[in-house]
Amino acid sequence: MIAWFVRNPVAANILMVLIMVLGTYSALKRIPLEVFPEFELDIVNITVAYPGATPREVEDGIITRVEEAIADLQGITEILSDASEGSAQLRVEIDKQHDVTELVNQIKTRVDGITNRLPADAERPVVEQLTRRREVISVILGSNVLSETELRLQAEAVRDEMLRLPGITQADLGGVRPFEISISVPQATLRQYGITLDTIAQAIRNASRDIPGGTVKTSGGDILVRSLGQAYKQAEFANITVISGTDGSRIRLGDIANINDGFNEDELYSEYDGQKAAFINVYRIGDQNAITLANTIKDYIAQRRDSLPAGTTLDYWRDNSKTIKARLSTLTSSAIQSAILVFIVLTLFLRVDLAFWIMLGIPISFLGALWLMPELGVTLNLVSMFAFILVLGIVVDDAIVTGKIFTRTSNATMTPCERRWKARRKSPYRLRLGS
């Protein structure tokens, strides 16, 4: 092929231009820029909540039945189970040679098929493939003035505004406790009214739900009827009727129970620079550019700071795009320095035109790799850029060796007359003897 291109220099030039154009287009438009390469984990998690159950009840009523349902599926290498109080966790490891998506669907089908065999109080099983999310930057909202509820609500407002920014598609809260409504009834109250906690729980289930009411056909179309009764706030739960008397009297939940509309009881401390803080973690998905995404968030923070309540700060940290910029800067500067050094060295010892074309081969070789990277599913990340830096030294050495071989080949293919002419040009004596 090399000999054919030597005999057809026009084709070689066309190929060079094609590589430059397509490589530049791929680098700017087609190759995602991320921190680490994307990969899928061959693990499926199965989670089943069973409130109030002991580990032994969880194992006998849930884990054993789920294991029996999926154990014979082809592609499963190992099943690891964990029975804890009120919850069952199963970790299914899949053979790397097997189609993970197909096996996940089969596991979901098997688990859904045994739902009616699980304990009545057990919640619906959740089957999901374990994935690694790629965090780019974290936004911090800190304040010692706002309460925990106000801080979380402010953080949710900031998160929602960020999700409306162009290019931001995934962001979640961190450093905050989840909302929770807790209902406690004194033992003396239960004995006074002759009821149990199960009676109260059943009353809440029956009252706090949305019930479809069918369809009403009209001349203008069908109207869906739905009874909206799902309770979300403390006052709505307090209004739920627990006991109804024959005389029309009612005892509501708020009359006999203590209802706390607050947060989960698990303690969680989150601080930043001495302030209570909530975090908003921003992730990159698909073909999004990590540097562009981080710049969008920084611009938003600069504009949003002025409209925050007094005593509240908005900042960012864990900016992983800095690492990408540093590695990209190292690669770019190394390539430029190598090309300049190759040109200078070959110009001093060989010819200027030869040095120029060999120097041009360095970026062309990299552009050719950038052209093929999207076709092979490879992205620009810390690993691939480190590989480029390593290969850069090999390309530079090959360029110098190629120049030497080209020079020797040119000397070997010259005619005797060309050699004498070249020797006479190099001779310091130019005096012409003769009559």
Side-chain angles (χ1 to χ4, degrees), residues 181 183 204-205 207-208 230-242 252-255 259 261:
I181 294 180
I183 302 173
I204 295 174
R205 292 193 194 98
S208 178
Q230 180 68 49
Y232 294 99
K233 300 180 180 179
Q234 178 180 5
E236 296 173 350
F237 279 96
N239 196 42
I240 294 177
T241 300
V242 178
R252 296 179 175 85
L253 184 62
D255 300 329
I259 304 174
D261 189 354

PDB file of all heavy atoms in Angstrom, residues 181 183 204-205 207-208 230-242 252-255 259 261:
ATOM      1  N   ILE A 181     -43.319  11.374  57.541  1.00  0.00           N
ATOM      2  CA  ILE A 181     -44.409  11.656  58.490  1.00  0.00           C
ATOM      3  C   ILE A 181     -44.500  10.472  59.443  1.00  0.00           C
ATOM      4  O   ILE A 181     -44.756   9.332  59.028  1.00  0.00           O
ATOM      5  CB  ILE A 181     -45.746  11.861  57.749  1.00  0.00           C
ATOM      6  CG1 ILE A 181     -45.680  13.131  56.892  1.00  0.00           C
ATOM      7  CG2 ILE A 181     -46.896  11.956  58.747  1.00  0.00           C
ATOM      8  CD1 ILE A 181     -46.948  13.423  56.127  1.00  0.00           C
ATOM      9  N   ILE A 183     -46.229   8.712  62.873  1.00  0.00           N
ATOM     10  CA  ILE A 183     -47.474   8.699  63.646  1.00  0.00           C
ATOM     11  C   ILE A 183     -47.266   7.783  64.856  1.00  0.00           C
ATOM     12  O   ILE A 183     -46.928   6.609  64.695  1.00  0.00           O
ATOM     13  CB  ILE A 183     -48.650   8.196  62.796  1.00  0.00           C
ATOM     14  CG1 ILE A 183     -48.830   9.080  61.555  1.00  0.00           C
ATOM     15  CG2 ILE A 183     -49.932   8.142  63.619  1.00  0.00           C
ATOM     16  CD1 ILE A 183     -49.851   8.557  60.577  1.00  0.00           C
ATOM     17  N   ILE A 204     -55.717   4.119  57.853  1.00  0.00           N
ATOM     18  CA  ILE A 204     -54.900   5.028  57.029  1.00  0.00           C
ATOM     19  C   ILE A 204     -54.814   4.508  55.602  1.00  0.00           C
ATOM     20  O   ILE A 204     -54.922   5.278  54.634  1.00  0.00           O
ATOM     21  CB  ILE A 204     -53.505   5.190  57.657  1.00  0.00           C
ATOM     22  CG1 ILE A 204     -53.609   5.890  59.016  1.00  0.00           C
ATOM     23  CG2 ILE A 204     -52.591   5.983  56.729  1.00  0.00           C
ATOM     24  CD1 ILE A 204     -52.299   5.968  59.762  1.00  0.00           C
ATOM     25  N   ARG A 205     -54.631   3.191  55.425  1.00  0.00           N
ATOM     26  CA  ARG A 205     -54.559   2.617  54.074  1.00  0.00           C
ATOM     27  C   ARG A 205     -55.850   2.851  53.307  1.00  0.00           C
ATOM     28  O   ARG A 205     -55.829   3.153  52.108  1.00  0.00           O
ATOM     29  CB  ARG A 205     -54.272   1.123  54.154  1.00  0.00           C
ATOM     30  CG  ARG A 205     -52.893   0.745  54.656  1.00  0.00           C
ATOM     31  CD  ARG A 205     -52.601  -0.725  54.391  1.00  0.00           C
ATOM     32  NE  ARG A 205     -51.447  -1.176  55.157  1.00  0.00           N
ATOM     33  CZ  ARG A 205     -51.507  -1.823  56.299  1.00  0.00           C
ATOM     34  NH1 ARG A 205     -52.704  -2.128  56.830  1.00  0.00           N
ATOM     35  NH2 ARG A 205     -50.421  -2.183  56.936  1.00  0.00           N
ATOM     36  N   ALA A 207     -58.128   5.219  53.766  1.00  0.00           N
ATOM     37  CA  ALA A 207     -58.490   6.621  53.538  1.00  0.00           C
ATOM     38  C   ALA A 207     -57.460   7.360  52.689  1.00  0.00           C
ATOM     39  O   ALA A 207     -57.819   8.232  51.888  1.00  0.00           O
ATOM     40  CB  ALA A 207     -58.651   7.337  54.881  1.00  0.00           C
ATOM     41  N   SER A 208     -56.200   7.005  52.854  1.00  0.00           N
ATOM     42  CA  SER A 208     -55.134   7.740  52.155  1.00  0.00           C
ATOM     43  C   SER A 208     -54.786   7.031  50.847  1.00  0.00           C
ATOM     44  O   SER A 208     -53.758   6.352  50.724  1.00  0.00           O
ATOM     45  CB  SER A 208     -53.897   7.851  53.061  1.00  0.00           C
ATOM     46  OG  SER A 208     -52.851   8.517  52.379  1.00  0.00           O
ATOM     47  N   GLN A 230     -55.414  10.715  48.596  1.00  0.00           N
ATOM     48  CA  GLN A 230     -54.077  10.455  49.102  1.00  0.00           C
ATOM     49  C   GLN A 230     -53.627  11.609  49.998  1.00  0.00           C
ATOM     50  O   GLN A 230     -53.678  12.773  49.623  1.00  0.00           O
ATOM     51  CB  GLN A 230     -53.093  10.300  47.941  1.00  0.00           C
ATOM     52  CG  GLN A 230     -51.660  10.035  48.356  1.00  0.00           C
ATOM     53  CD  GLN A 230     -51.497   8.672  49.000  1.00  0.00           C
ATOM     54  OE1 GLN A 230     -51.962   7.667  48.478  1.00  0.00           O
ATOM     55  NE2 GLN A 230     -50.853   8.642  50.156  1.00  0.00           N
ATOM     56  N   ALA A 231     -53.212  11.274  51.214  1.00  0.00           N
ATOM     57  CA  ALA A 231     -52.756  12.280  52.172  1.00  0.00           C
ATOM     58  C   ALA A 231     -51.255  12.480  52.024  1.00  0.00           C
ATOM     59  O   ALA A 231     -50.492  11.517  51.889  1.00  0.00           O
ATOM     60  CB  ALA A 231     -53.095  11.836  53.592  1.00  0.00           C
ATOM     61  N   TYR A 232     -50.847  13.757  52.086  1.00  0.00           N
ATOM     62  CA  TYR A 232     -49.432  14.092  51.962  1.00  0.00           C
ATOM     63  C   TYR A 232     -48.942  14.961  53.118  1.00  0.00           C
ATOM     64  O   TYR A 232     -47.751  14.963  53.404  1.00  0.00           O
ATOM     65  CB  TYR A 232     -49.177  14.840  50.649  1.00  0.00           C
ATOM     66  CG  TYR A 232     -49.417  14.007  49.417  1.00  0.00           C
ATOM     67  CD1 TYR A 232     -50.611  14.104  48.712  1.00  0.00           C
ATOM     68  CD2 TYR A 232     -48.458  13.100  48.955  1.00  0.00           C
ATOM     69  CE1 TYR A 232     -50.835  13.347  47.569  1.00  0.00           C
ATOM     70  CE2 TYR A 232     -48.673  12.334  47.826  1.00  0.00           C
ATOM     71  CZ  TYR A 232     -49.865  12.468  47.134  1.00  0.00           C
ATOM     72  OH  TYR A 232     -50.083  11.714  46.005  1.00  0.00           O
ATOM     73  N   LYS A 233     -49.824  15.697  53.765  1.00  0.00           N
ATOM     74  CA  LYS A 233     -49.418  16.629  54.805  1.00  0.00           C
ATOM     75  C   LYS A 233     -49.993  16.220  56.155  1.00  0.00           C
ATOM     76  O   LYS A 233     -50.881  15.365  56.256  1.00  0.00           O
ATOM     77  CB  LYS A 233     -49.864  18.044  54.443  1.00  0.00           C
ATOM     78  CG  LYS A 233     -49.272  18.553  53.131  1.00  0.00           C
ATOM     79  CD  LYS A 233     -49.750  19.959  52.827  1.00  0.00           C
ATOM     80  CE  LYS A 233     -49.156  20.473  51.526  1.00  0.00           C
ATOM     81  NZ  LYS A 233     -49.624  21.856  51.197  1.00  0.00           N
ATOM     82  N   GLN A 234     -49.480  16.869  57.209  1.00  0.00           N
ATOM     83  CA  GLN A 234     -49.888  16.524  58.559  1.00  0.00           C
ATOM     84  C   GLN A 234     -51.385  16.742  58.777  1.00  0.00           C
ATOM     85  O   GLN A 234     -52.068  15.884  59.348  1.00  0.00           O
ATOM     86  CB  GLN A 234     -49.080  17.380  59.553  1.00  0.00           C
ATOM     87  CG  GLN A 234     -49.452  17.139  61.005  1.00  0.00           C
ATOM     88  CD  GLN A 234     -48.619  18.005  61.933  1.00  0.00           C
ATOM     89  OE1 GLN A 234     -47.846  18.834  61.500  1.00  0.00           O
ATOM     90  NE2 GLN A 234     -48.807  17.811  63.237  1.00  0.00           N
ATOM     91  N   ALA A 235     -51.921  17.849  58.280  1.00  0.00           N
ATOM     92  CA  ALA A 235     -53.344  18.137  58.479  1.00  0.00           C
ATOM     93  C   ALA A 235     -54.214  17.116  57.761  1.00  0.00           C
ATOM     94  O   ALA A 235     -55.301  16.752  58.252  1.00  0.00           O
ATOM     95  CB  ALA A 235     -53.662  19.547  57.984  1.00  0.00           C
ATOM     96  N   GLU A 236     -53.776  16.639  56.611  1.00  0.00           N
ATOM     97  CA  GLU A 236     -54.561  15.652  55.865  1.00  0.00           C
ATOM     98  C   GLU A 236     -54.591  14.314  56.599  1.00  0.00           C
ATOM     99  O   GLU A 236     -55.619  13.625  56.624  1.00  0.00           O
ATOM    100  CB  GLU A 236     -53.974  15.497  54.465  1.00  0.00           C
ATOM    101  CG  GLU A 236     -54.071  16.769  53.617  1.00  0.00           C
ATOM    102  CD  GLU A 236     -53.329  16.645  52.306  1.00  0.00           C
ATOM    103  OE1 GLU A 236     -52.577  15.645  52.152  1.00  0.00           O
ATOM    104  OE2 GLU A 236     -53.475  17.528  51.448  1.00  0.00           O
ATOM    105  N   PHE A 237     -53.474  13.918  57.205  1.00  0.00           N
ATOM    106  CA  PHE A 237     -53.474  12.682  57.994  1.00  0.00           C
ATOM    107  C   PHE A 237     -54.303  12.848  59.266  1.00  0.00           C
ATOM    108  O   PHE A 237     -54.992  11.914  59.695  1.00  0.00           O
ATOM    109  CB  PHE A 237     -52.037  12.289  58.354  1.00  0.00           C
ATOM    110  CG  PHE A 237     -51.311  11.575  57.259  1.00  0.00           C
ATOM    111  CD1 PHE A 237     -50.479  12.267  56.406  1.00  0.00           C
ATOM    112  CD2 PHE A 237     -51.469  10.215  57.073  1.00  0.00           C
ATOM    113  CE1 PHE A 237     -49.807  11.617  55.395  1.00  0.00           C
ATOM    114  CE2 PHE A 237     -50.810   9.538  56.063  1.00  0.00           C
ATOM    115  CZ  PHE A 237     -49.962  10.252  55.213  1.00  0.00           C
ATOM    116  N   ALA A 238     -54.237  14.029  59.871  1.00  0.00           N
ATOM    117  CA  ALA A 238     -54.985  14.242  61.109  1.00  0.00           C
ATOM    118  C   ALA A 238     -56.484  14.169  60.888  1.00  0.00           C
ATOM    119  O   ALA A 238     -57.243  13.856  61.828  1.00  0.00           O
ATOM    120  CB  ALA A 238     -54.613  15.607  61.704  1.00  0.00           C
ATOM    121  N   ASN A 239     -56.947  14.397  59.679  1.00  0.00           N
ATOM    122  CA  ASN A 239     -58.382  14.387  59.388  1.00  0.00           C
ATOM    123  C   ASN A 239     -58.916  13.004  59.046  1.00  0.00           C
ATOM    124  O   ASN A 239     -60.117  12.844  58.791  1.00  0.00           O
ATOM    125  CB  ASN A 239     -58.660  15.358  58.242  1.00  0.00           C
ATOM    126  CG  ASN A 239     -60.125  15.719  58.124  1.00  0.00           C
ATOM    127  OD1 ASN A 239     -60.794  15.951  59.127  1.00  0.00           O
ATOM    128  ND2 ASN A 239     -60.638  15.740  56.899  1.00  0.00           N
ATOM    129  N   ILE A 240     -58.059  11.993  59.025  1.00  0.00           N
ATOM    130  CA  ILE A 240     -58.506  10.630  58.703  1.00  0.00           C
ATOM    131  C   ILE A 240     -59.328  10.068  59.865  1.00  0.00           C
ATOM    132  O   ILE A 240     -58.923  10.142  61.032  1.00  0.00           O
ATOM    133  CB  ILE A 240     -57.295   9.723  58.409  1.00  0.00           C
ATOM    134  CG1 ILE A 240     -56.575  10.190  57.130  1.00  0.00           C
ATOM    135  CG2 ILE A 240     -57.723   8.262  58.291  1.00  0.00           C
ATOM    136  CD1 ILE A 240     -55.332   9.392  56.806  1.00  0.00           C
ATOM    137  N   THR A 241     -60.487   9.512  59.544  1.00  0.00           N
ATOM    138  CA  THR A 241     -61.374   8.935  60.564  1.00  0.00           C
ATOM    139  C   THR A 241     -60.896   7.539  60.938  1.00  0.00           C
ATOM    140  O   THR A 241     -60.693   6.681  60.077  1.00  0.00           O
ATOM    141  CB  THR A 241     -62.819   8.870  60.049  1.00  0.00           C
ATOM    142  OG1 THR A 241     -63.270  10.193  59.731  1.00  0.00           O
ATOM    143  CG2 THR A 241     -63.736   8.260  61.097  1.00  0.00           C
ATOM    144  N   VAL A 242     -60.725   7.335  62.252  1.00  0.00           N
ATOM    145  CA  VAL A 242     -60.277   6.028  62.748  1.00  0.00           C
ATOM    146  C   VAL A 242     -61.453   5.220  63.285  1.00  0.00           C
ATOM    147  O   VAL A 242     -61.587   4.030  63.022  1.00  0.00           O
ATOM    148  CB  VAL A 242     -59.197   6.207  63.840  1.00  0.00           C
ATOM    149  CG1 VAL A 242     -58.757   4.850  64.396  1.00  0.00           C
ATOM    150  CG2 VAL A 242     -57.996   6.967  63.297  1.00  0.00           C
ATOM    151  N   ARG A 252     -61.007  11.129  64.959  1.00  0.00           N
ATOM    152  CA  ARG A 252     -60.010  11.279  63.893  1.00  0.00           C
ATOM    153  C   ARG A 252     -58.612  10.913  64.412  1.00  0.00           C
ATOM    154  O   ARG A 252     -58.362  10.865  65.621  1.00  0.00           O
ATOM    155  CB  ARG A 252     -60.021  12.704  63.343  1.00  0.00           C
ATOM    156  CG  ARG A 252     -61.323  13.088  62.667  1.00  0.00           C
ATOM    157  CD  ARG A 252     -61.278  14.528  62.166  1.00  0.00           C
ATOM    158  NE  ARG A 252     -62.477  14.877  61.421  1.00  0.00           N
ATOM    159  CZ  ARG A 252     -63.600  15.307  61.939  1.00  0.00           C
ATOM    160  NH1 ARG A 252     -63.696  15.413  63.266  1.00  0.00           N
ATOM    161  NH2 ARG A 252     -64.628  15.600  61.178  1.00  0.00           N
ATOM    162  N   LEU A 253     -57.720  10.711  63.447  1.00  0.00           N
ATOM    163  CA  LEU A 253     -56.358  10.320  63.806  1.00  0.00           C
ATOM    164  C   LEU A 253     -55.666  11.411  64.620  1.00  0.00           C
ATOM    165  O   LEU A 253     -54.900  11.116  65.548  1.00  0.00           O
ATOM    166  CB  LEU A 253     -55.547  10.018  62.533  1.00  0.00           C
ATOM    167  CG  LEU A 253     -54.118   9.501  62.730  1.00  0.00           C
ATOM    168  CD1 LEU A 253     -54.125   8.171  63.472  1.00  0.00           C
ATOM    169  CD2 LEU A 253     -53.419   9.337  61.377  1.00  0.00           C
ATOM    170  N   GLY A 254     -55.944  12.666  64.289  1.00  0.00           N
ATOM    171  CA  GLY A 254     -55.327  13.764  65.025  1.00  0.00           C
ATOM    172  C   GLY A 254     -55.775  13.840  66.465  1.00  0.00           C
ATOM    173  O   GLY A 254     -55.115  14.476  67.302  1.00  0.00           O
ATOM    174  N   ASP A 255     -56.937  13.205  66.828  1.00  0.00           N
ATOM    175  CA  ASP A 255     -57.443  13.248  68.196  1.00  0.00           C
ATOM    176  C   ASP A 255     -56.723  12.275  69.111  1.00  0.00           C
ATOM    177  O   ASP A 255     -56.700  12.483  70.340  1.00  0.00           O
ATOM    178  CB  ASP A 255     -58.945  12.942  68.216  1.00  0.00           C
ATOM    179  CG  ASP A 255     -59.736  13.946  67.384  1.00  0.00           C
ATOM    180  OD1 ASP A 255     -59.289  15.116  67.306  1.00  0.00           O
ATOM    181  OD2 ASP A 255     -60.775  13.565  66.812  1.00  0.00           O
ATOM    182  N   ILE A 259     -48.762  13.310  65.403  1.00  0.00           N
ATOM    183  CA  ILE A 259     -48.348  13.275  63.999  1.00  0.00           C
ATOM    184  C   ILE A 259     -47.227  14.290  63.802  1.00  0.00           C
ATOM    185  O   ILE A 259     -47.415  15.478  64.058  1.00  0.00           O
ATOM    186  CB  ILE A 259     -49.531  13.591  63.063  1.00  0.00           C
ATOM    187  CG1 ILE A 259     -50.691  12.631  63.334  1.00  0.00           C
ATOM    188  CG2 ILE A 259     -49.093  13.510  61.614  1.00  0.00           C
ATOM    189  CD1 ILE A 259     -51.944  12.955  62.558  1.00  0.00           C
ATOM    190  N   ASP A 261     -44.712  15.859  61.099  1.00  0.00           N
ATOM    191  CA  ASP A 261     -44.378  16.044  59.674  1.00  0.00           C
ATOM    192  C   ASP A 261     -42.964  16.628  59.612  1.00  0.00           C
ATOM    193  O   ASP A 261     -42.770  17.839  59.691  1.00  0.00           O
ATOM    194  CB  ASP A 261     -45.383  16.997  59.022  1.00  0.00           C
ATOM    195  CG  ASP A 261     -45.214  17.047  57.505  1.00  0.00           C
ATOM    196  OD1 ASP A 261     -44.251  16.439  56.994  1.00  0.00           O
ATOM    197  OD2 ASP A 261     -46.042  17.695  56.835  1.00  0.00           O
TER     198      ASP A 261
END
